[in-house]
Amino acid sequence: MKLKFYEWNDNEKIETPREIFTDKFEEIKNFISEKIGNPTFVNYEDLEKSDNETVRDDVKWRSKSLNAYLFRFKGKSGFDQIRLVLYRD
């Protein structure tokens, strides 16, 4: 495996509370940290304080066998999306 990409999106037909995406993001972050170690980079953007309509939270891991990049897009209009990329150098 060279690269794996996963994506979770808001379902247009079902209203999904923002807490579900927050919980899922933290669940994935904790799972990866248990498997490959602590993140090498963490950045959370505050949607309420931002002038932008959409912000991004980022978490990155590097290890000898596997690297991971987890990010979440949040929008003031209710947009939510989580993406996870697993890759090897």
Side-chain angles (χ1 to χ4, degrees):
M1 171 193 79
K2 191 76 165 169
L3 179 115
K4 286 280 191 179
F5 177 81
Y6 300 93
E7 183 174 282
W8 294 263
N9 289 297
D10 194 13
N11 187 329
E12 294 175 7
K13 297 177 183 173
I14 301 170
E15 191 170 320
T16 307
R18 176 153 282 161
E19 297 82 36
I20 289 177
F21 279 89
T22 301
D23 292 347
K24 179 55 75 178
F25 186 84
E26 290 302 316
E27 179 184 324
I28 296 166
K29 177 184 159 197
N30 292 336
F31 178 81
I32 294 171
S33 293
E34 287 175 17
K35 298 298 179 190
I36 64 174
N38 291 326
T40 57
F41 176 80
V42 178
N43 181 53
Y44 287 89
E45 293 187 33
D46 189 335
L47 182 61
E48 302 304 319
K49 292 180 181 177
S50 177
D51 293 334
N52 297 322
E53 286 297 311
T54 305
V55 297
R56 185 174 78 198
D57 297 335
D58 300 271
V59 183
K60 295 180 183 179
W61 294 262
R62 290 193 65 81
S63 73
K64 292 179 182 176
S65 60
L66 186 66
N67 301 310
Y69 182 27
L70 175 66
F71 50 104
R72 175 184 178 197
F73 294 102
K74 300 179 283 191
K76 291 184 179 177
S77 64
F79 175 75
D80 267 301
Q81 181 183 70
I82 297 172
R83 291 181 174 177
L84 170 64
V85 179
L86 303 171
Y87 62 98
R88 295 187 180 170
D89 287 332

